[in-house]
Amino acid sequence: MALFVERGYFGTSVHDIVRASNVSIGSIYHHFGDKAGIARALYAAQTARMDALIAGIAARHPGAAARCRAIVEALFRLTEDDPVAMEFMLHVKHREFIPDEKPVCSSKPFEAMRRIVVEGIARGEIRPVDVMVASTSLFGSALRMITARLDGVLPKPLPEYLDEVWEASWRAVAA
Amino acid sequence: MALFVERGYFGTSVHDIVRASNVSIGSIYHHFGDKAGIARALYAAQTARMDALIAGIAARHPGAAARCRAIVEALFRLTEDDPVAMEFMLHVKHREFIPDEKPVCSSKPFEAMRRIVVEGIARGEIRPVDVMVASTSLFGSALRMITARLDGVLPKPLPEYLDEVWEASWRAVAA
DNA sequence: GTCTATATCATGATAGAC
DNA sequence: GTCTATCATGATATAGAC
C-alpha cells in the first residue's frame, strides 16, 4: 500500500513489492493472481475498515450533527495515525486496477455518510437542500483539510483544527 | 492531456501519445526532451490558464464574497466546458513528473484564492478563523461537487447547483 | 505454498537519414 | 524539425523444482 501511494499503481512494479515485502514473486502471484489483484485486495480491506468505522459511529451517536462530527473527528485521527491508508482511500485512482470503475465516492462508506445526511434532512436537523450539496458542504472542508495535511502544507495535526472546521461545516447546512 | 487523465502518467506510454497525436516519436523527444517534459508543459500551461482566470476575477470583483462566488462559478463552468483540463489540474498527481514536488494546493492559483480569503478576514467580511479552515470551508464543497461531477455521479450540470452550493459555503464563514 | 529462473513483450530513449 | 528503425532495459507473468 505504501508503494502504491508513494509511486502510483503503474509506477510500482511487482519486483518493487517483492523487495519491500521479502516475499517471493511466485508466492505473490500464487495468492493474488495478478498485479491488479494485490491492489484490489488492499482496496477491499480498506473500504471494509472505513465502512466498519462509519457504521460504528452511526450506531453510537443519535442525530446527524453528532454523527457527522464524530465522522470528521475519526477521519482526522485516522489521517494522523495511518496517513498511508487515508491517502490510499482518497487519492489512489482505483480505476487503474478495477477496470469496471465505480468511483470512491460511490463506495459503501461514502454511501453510508450520505444516508446519515438524508436522515438529518428528514428530521429537520439539516436544511432541505440537494443531498449531494449537503454532503459536500458537511464533509468537503474536512476532506480538503485532510488533503492539505497529507500534502504536508498544514503545520498542525488535524485534530487541532477540528472545532473550527466542524463549526463552519455545520453552519453551512444547519436548519 | 486526455491520455494522462484517462490512464495516469505511468499508464500512458510515449507510443500511446504518438498514436493519439499523429506526431512522430522523434519530434516529440526533440521538443520535450523526455516524457516528463510533455507532462510538465501541459501542467505549466494549465496553471497559467487558471492563474489568469483567478486574477481576472479578483480584478473585476470587489470584496471576498463576490470574488469567491465568481471563482466557484468559473470553476463550475470550466468543469463543464473542459472536464479533461479540470481533471488534469485537480486529480493528476504531478509529483509523478515533477520530482521536486510542491503540491497543487501550493500552486499560484490556489495561493491567489487564499490571498482573497485573507483580505476578506482583514476587512471583517469573513469570520476570523484559521486561513486554511476558511479556505477549505469556502471552496471545499465546490471542489467536492466538481470531483463528483467528473466521476459521473452528479445528474445535473454543476452551474445548476451553484446557488445552493454558494449559499452553504458562505454561511460557513460569513462574519 | 514458497521459491528461483526464465520467457515474452512493452517501455523510454537514441541514431541518424532526410 | 520531422521522421523511421532500433536499442537496452525492466515490466508482467509463468514454469517447475522443492
Side-chain angles (χ1 to χ4, degrees):
Chain A
M1 191 156 72
L3 288 170
F4 286 145
V5 165
E6 177 90 10
R7 313 153 69 146
Y9 174 72
F10 286 111
T12 302
S13 77
V14 179
H15 288 284
D16 291 336
I17 297 172
V18 168
R19 272 187 293 274
S21 63
N22 289 319
V23 173
S24 74
I25 192 167
S27 288
I28 290 177
Y29 275 94
H30 178 77
H31 282 282
F32 297 102
D34 59 3
K35 181 184 172 183
I38 307 169
R40 276 196 304 270
L42 289 169
Y43 184 70
Q46 220 44 46
T47 48
R49 178 187 181 185
M50 290 274 292
D51 199 39
L53 190 80
I54 306 288
I57 287 172
R60 277 194 305 278
H61 294 82
R67 284 172 175 172
C68 292
R69 191 187 196 282
I71 288 172
V72 172
E73 183 176 9
L75 294 177
F76 277 8
R77 293 168 73 102
L78 182 57
T79 305
E80 298 293 333
D81 294 345
D82 196 347
V84 168
M86 203 67 204
E87 184 130 26
F88 185 81
M89 276 302 291
L90 288 185
H91 298 320
V92 168
K93 314 205 211 166
H94 49 292
R95 285 210 325 252
E96 294 183 332
F97 48 88
I98 310 180
D100 56 5
E101 210 190 329
K102 212 178 71 160
V104 208
C105 57
S106 300
S107 61
K108 277 186 72 181
F110 277 78
E111 299 247 345
M113 286 159 72
R114 275 196 294 277
R115 259 204 315 280
I116 292 174
V117 171
V118 171
E119 289 180 25
I121 294 174
R123 277 192 236 156
E125 278 187 90
I126 295 174
R127 285 190 296 127
V129 292
D130 181 277
V131 186
M132 281 302 269
V133 173
S135 300
T136 61
S137 296
L138 263 174
F139 299 112
S141 174
L143 289 169
R144 273 274 127 190
M145 290 292 285
I146 288 170
T147 298
R149 179 66 171 162
L150 291 171
D151 281 346
V153 292
L154 265 199
K156 295 186 291 182
L158 283 166
E160 299 190 27
Y161 300 96
L162 176 61
D163 288 334
E164 275 194 347
V165 168
W166 174 249
E167 188 185 338
S169 298
W170 187 249
R171 273 173 190 251
V173 301
Chain B
M1 192 155 72
L3 288 170
F4 286 144
V5 165
E6 177 89 10
R7 312 153 69 145
Y9 174 72
F10 286 112
T12 303
S13 77
V14 180
H15 290 281
D16 290 336
I17 297 172
V18 167
R19 272 188 292 274
S21 64
N22 288 319
V23 173
S24 74
I25 193 167
S27 288
I28 290 177
Y29 274 95
H30 178 77
H31 283 283
F32 297 102
D34 58 4
K35 181 185 172 182
I38 307 169
R40 276 197 304 270
L42 289 169
Y43 184 70
Q46 220 43 47
T47 48
R49 178 187 183 187
M50 290 274 291
D51 200 38
L53 190 80
I54 307 288
I57 286 171
R60 276 194 304 278
H61 294 82
R67 283 171 176 173
C68 292
R69 190 189 197 282
I71 287 173
V72 171
E73 182 176 11
L75 294 177
F76 277 8
R77 294 169 71 101
L78 182 57
T79 305
E80 298 294 333
D81 293 346
D82 195 347
V84 168
M86 203 66 201
E87 184 130 26
F88 185 81
M89 276 302 290
L90 288 185
H91 298 320
V92 169
K93 313 204 210 167
H94 49 293
R95 285 210 324 253
E96 294 183 331
F97 48 88
I98 310 182
D100 57 5
E101 210 190 330
K102 213 177 73 162
V104 208
C105 57
S106 300
S107 62
K108 279 186 72 180
F110 278 78
E111 299 248 344
M113 286 160 72
R114 275 196 294 278
R115 259 205 314 280
I116 292 173
V117 171
V118 171
E119 289 180 26
I121 295 173
R123 277 192 236 156
E125 279 186 88
I126 296 173
R127 285 189 297 126
V129 292
D130 181 277
V131 186
M132 281 301 269
V133 174
S135 301
T136 59
S137 296
L138 263 173
F139 298 112
S141 174
L143 289 169
R144 272 274 126 191
M145 290 292 286
I146 288 170
T147 298
R149 179 66 171 161
L150 292 171
D151 281 344
V153 291
L154 265 198
K156 294 185 292 182
L158 284 166
E160 299 190 28
Y161 300 96
L162 176 61
D163 288 335
E164 275 194 347
V165 169
W166 174 249
E167 187 184 339
S169 298
W170 187 248
R171 273 174 190 251
V173 301

